[in-house]
Amino acid sequence: MKKKYGAIILFILLLLFWFVLSFKVNLTIVIIGFLVSGTVCLLNYDMVFNHSEATKLTFKTIYRLIALFFVLIFNIAKSNIEVAKIVLSKKMPIDPGFVTIKNPLKKELNQALFANAITLTPGTLTVDMNSEEIVVHGLVKDSVKNIDNSSLEKAFIALEVDKS
Amino acid sequence: MSVGEIILNIIILICLTSGLFFFFVGVVGLVRMPDVFTRMHATTKCDTMGAGLIFLGLIILQGMSFVSLNILLILIFVWLTNPTAAHAIAKSAYKRLESGLEAKEDK
């Protein structure tokens, strides 16, 4: 039952996306849109993420999601400039290596988001992860240790705590 | 041209040139870095910032319209697929390193 619910949401999202991409609306475009997004839903509806994993949308969580977004943008900009400095400096002071850090999150969806956020911020790259630890490759090893207790991690933990 | 338009054009120019600058840094990093992982740092990451700034400049240039919405969608998809692809490459390189296939090539 829950999965059907997810499939319908996926269908509506796909259809909306199709209409945004195709500028105008006429009969051919509508028929093609319904056919294609229907087929995609039919083939993939068992891959729609688990509904119990999703964070409930209340005003508090929306506020936290927006805060998370801005923290992420700020982190991307800051560490991008750091990497640019390293690349353009004459000596290239790099100290690459793998660092294992503890996985602070419990839900799978949040873990995936956190791993991708680590990859998105330059200088750190998620290589492998399981439910207890994340293997991160750092351009400078010390910068990986800063992920613990960073503003990014705190924003994710705040998102998780709110549900329970 | 009014003063407002000139200021807007200057902002667009700053966005586009700094976006290009980050792409340039990515390419320089690709050439200078020693191995797979460090090269990935330079290229895939500077693309997030470079593409973000260039698309931001284009959105300001276009103003509020349907085209800006499409550009925003492209930006979101670039930012979604970039870390995923980087992770796929990194994981395969890591597995190779663990199994000892790469050890001899390095020396």
Side-chain angles (χ1 to χ4, degrees):
Chain A
M1 191 60 211
K2 283 266 154 93
K3 271 190 173 166
K4 248 178 207 167
Y5 195 60
I8 291 166
I9 291 174
L10 180 68
F11 181 73
I12 292 167
L13 277 177
L14 282 172
L15 208 60
L16 219 66
F17 180 57
W18 169 258
F19 282 129
V20 170
L21 280 189
S22 57
F23 278 101
K24 50 188 186 282
V25 176
N26 59 35
L27 193 64
T28 335
I29 283 173
V30 171
I31 289 172
I32 290 174
F34 267 89
L35 276 180
V36 171
S37 35
T39 319
V40 169
C41 279
L42 219 65
L43 292 176
N44 290 325
Y45 81 100
D46 53 335
M47 272 161 57
V48 177
F49 62 82
N50 204 340
H51 211 260
S52 59
E53 291 242 319
T55 313
K56 256 186 195 150
L57 278 186
T58 57
F59 280 114
K60 222 175 196 176
T61 47
I62 288 172
Y63 165 73
R64 281 191 174 142
L65 277 175
I66 293 169
L68 175 64
F69 178 74
F70 280 110
V71 168
L72 187 61
I73 297 272
F74 175 72
N75 268 308
I76 289 172
K78 194 181 72 179
S79 38
N80 239 310
I81 292 165
E82 271 168 28
V83 170
K85 260 188 210 159
I86 290 173
V87 168
L88 292 180
S89 67
K90 234 178 194 174
K91 277 187 188 161
M92 271 212 312
I94 56 169
D95 175 28
F98 297 101
V99 180
T100 309
I101 59 170
K102 257 183 21 195
N103 191 342
L105 303 166
K106 288 201 186 76
K107 280 181 210 146
E108 278 184 353
L109 181 67
N110 290 355
Q111 283 173 11
L113 282 177
F114 185 55
N116 274 333
I118 290 175
T119 310
L120 207 57
T121 52
T124 52
L125 184 70
T126 313
V127 176
D128 206 354
M129 72 179 297
N130 55 36
S131 55
E132 266 132 49
E133 32 185 48
I134 308 173
V135 181
V136 180
H137 183 270
L139 194 58
V140 181
K141 268 188 216 159
D142 290 338
S143 72
V144 178
K145 278 163 197 150
N146 292 338
I147 291 177
D148 276 326
N149 295 319
S150 67
S151 51
L152 188 68
E153 193 185 37
K154 271 179 193 152
F156 270 103
I157 290 172
L159 199 68
E160 178 132 294
V161 165
D162 195 58
K163 178 76 189 294
S164 54
Chain B
M1 245 200 265
S2 65
V3 183
E5 275 177 22
I6 293 171
I7 292 172
L8 210 62
N9 278 344
I10 289 170
I11 292 173
I12 292 166
L13 269 180
I14 289 172
C15 279
L16 289 181
T17 41
S18 45
L20 276 178
F21 168 75
F22 278 112
F23 270 115
F24 172 72
V25 170
V27 174
V28 170
L30 181 68
V31 177
R32 287 190 75 189
M33 291 293 183
D35 70 339
V36 184
F37 296 105
T38 43
R39 280 190 173 145
M40 302 249 314
H41 281 298
T43 50
T44 59
K45 305 318 156 44
C46 285
D47 285 4
T48 54
M49 195 70 175
L53 280 171
I54 286 176
F55 284 138
L56 184 71
L58 289 179
I59 287 171
I60 296 171
L61 179 68
Q62 191 61 235
M64 293 284 281
S65 77
F66 218 54
V67 180
S68 315
L69 190 64
N70 283 3
I71 296 171
L72 200 67
L73 276 176
I74 295 171
L75 180 60
I76 289 169
F77 272 90
V78 167
W79 279 19
L80 270 181
T81 50
N82 196 335
T84 324
H87 176 69
I89 299 171
K91 194 166 183 180
S92 68
Y94 184 62
K95 286 269 145 73
R96 253 173 89 87
L97 204 70
E98 263 190 336
S99 63
L101 275 171
E102 200 120 301
K104 277 173 192 167
E105 290 171 28
D106 279 345
K107 286 162 192 173

